[in-house]
Amino acid sequence: MSGPDRIQAAGETRRLYYYNAGFLRQKPLRAILGAAGWDLRLGLPSCGDHVAVWGRSPYAKRGEAVAQKRGLGLIRVEDAFVRSVHPGRAKEPPLGLLIDPYGVHFDSSTPSLIEHLAMSEPLDDTALLQRSRDGMARLRHSHISKYNNFDPNAAPPAPGYVLVIDQTRGDASITYGGASARLFREMLGVAQIENPGARILIKTHPETQAGYRPGHYGPEHCDERTFLFREPISPWALLEGATAVYTVSSLLGYEAILAGHKPRVFGQPFYASWGLTQDENPVDRRRRRLTRAQLFAVSHILAPTWFDPCRKEICSFEVALDQIEADLRSWRADRHGYVATGISRWKHRHMRAFFGQHAPIRFRAKPINGQDWLHWSAKPLPDAQATPIRVEDGFLRSRGLGARLVPPLSLVTDTTGIYYDPTTPSELEALIAAPLPPGGRERADKLLRKLRQSGLSKYNQGSPPPELPAGHRILVPGQVEDDASIRLGCAQTSTNLALLAKTRAENPDKVIIFKPHPDVEAGLRPGAIPSDIALRYADYISEDTDPVALIAACDEVWTMTSLMGFEALLRGKPTTCLGAPFYAGWGLTHDLSPTPARRTARPDLVHLVHAVLIAYPRYFDPVSQRSCPPELVIERLADRAAQRQYWPLKIVSTLQDRAASWTRLWR
């Protein structure tokens, strides 16, 4: 059970009164509390109501006084330990809260929800502890901390240093954590004495570096081996090179535990006195010994209330991690802004939403020196010295065709090549060949099951198939014949007619079902075969048909490079390739055409799913208008009302359909 379930019964709504403007102004905070079953109100509470205060803030005294006078329960609210990309000062809402009916985690004078759970829960459930181990590994692998506006690729200092962690003066975890400014002087002295000759790095707090609040250390504390370290790098990278860690009560001290250290702790933070730290001032009532996985299970899985900002509902820790990973991928890649070339005008609005959340994206004919450069992969490159970041539609795209100007919910970016071009390596190939990240297999397996259950494909249109001829059915998906994947990946068979002829020659006694490409059916792209000619090789032509239903009705798929071959693999159907699509050459398909010799890895289907649908694309939620994980996009695509086409594009698309025979004028 999570934190809120311990305070109130599932589904029960209880009134929660507040007396400071923060609860009134911050709609995201109210949304989380509301989703957790709290009805926030102003006024005087009655018997059975609760009073909310923010931690131990100066304004908490108002609520404390009301709760004490009226004999009501007091709820203290604080941010969870994975909060957001930027600190709260940036007005960025949190992903989770600690809603605490006992105390507050940084106040050692009284037990908190975390301490209560750490003392009372069995913490011996195998599944819970595996979730905990996976969660710790995911945080470390993805460089996720409480706040995350640092560059994970910034170079850490040379390893072999002693890390002393500074904090801001007057921080509540110092005031209420059995500590004082004096302990910081003592801590530095102990670190210098215990580590003679070692380099000592004093990690400055980010808010001190930004000029918001002073810390406890300055240049006067430095000498020939003691240095202030102010660089905004990943805490995990910083902890990797440390030989010892000293802290008073910083959350970085807890992350040191998760990174494998046993830090020397001078205050009384929530993570002290469980057997995982060297305690200068132990909390005597904490007599239980915990493992890292057990304490993490309490601090990150059981105690917090996690919130999904896209679905607007309470969620698990893992779902919150999926979201922060999507947020971080967007911020880390896009924070410097872009120049974009080769982007059709109708895509500009969506590209701004997709890539311009953190810095502007400017559309130009040519790149600008020193600016990250996006280029639509199918368009010719302008003359330039820089290397572009190629952009292309993802594999769970939309409910409707790109040729009909329906914007995509997923895009891929690639600095190496592009997935459909087998003549050069791509980032997708590297992801397929690389080991799965922590938790990746379980996540990809769940995603695969969800995708199968939803019946989704790339474009998600078409009718159920009619009754098909009996026998062993082979589905042959037609393609757009000027598609780049055919031009670059088909050495011998490169037309729909040749594909049909080859399939019939190799399978004379089987039932062949030909499905024309929807863009070709609409007259928007080349590749049409007259029906009388197609029926010389095919037994049936299935037009305007749901591809997933058609795959289910057939026994195998023969293709050049169509994405339907990948969709067939997802559903366990044997797939034969006459070209070299991204999913060929890995041992999962029957390949009748040469594939790149560099594809030597042998991933299983779940591994391929992780690379193709989780790690490679980026996703955008049309409802919340923010980056999101693929699991959410599957839900949006299943909901026909979630993706609505921008109305001017509907008009242009209609006019385009009526002038389909003049596609050369706009393509």
Side-chain angles (χ1 to χ4, degrees), residues 634-646:
I634 290 177
E635 295 176 21
R636 298 303 193 214
L637 290 175
D639 179 4
R640 291 181 177 271
Q643 188 183 14
R644 296 177 180 175
Q645 190 175 9
Y646 184 43

Side-chain angles (χ1 to χ4, degrees), residues 419-438:
Y419 70 87
Y420 57 72
D421 183 359
T423 65
T424 61
S426 68
E427 288 185 21
L428 178 56
E429 284 189 354
L431 290 166
I432 294 172
L436 284 172

Side-chain angles (χ1 to χ4, degrees), residues 497-519:
L497 186 58
L499 171 64
L500 273 174
K502 179 68 173 177
T503 306
R504 172 55 73 196
E506 296 292 329
N507 302 276
D509 300 323
K510 295 179 181 177
V511 176
I512 295 178
I513 310 297
F514 177 59
K515 183 191 184 311
H517 191 280
D519 281 355

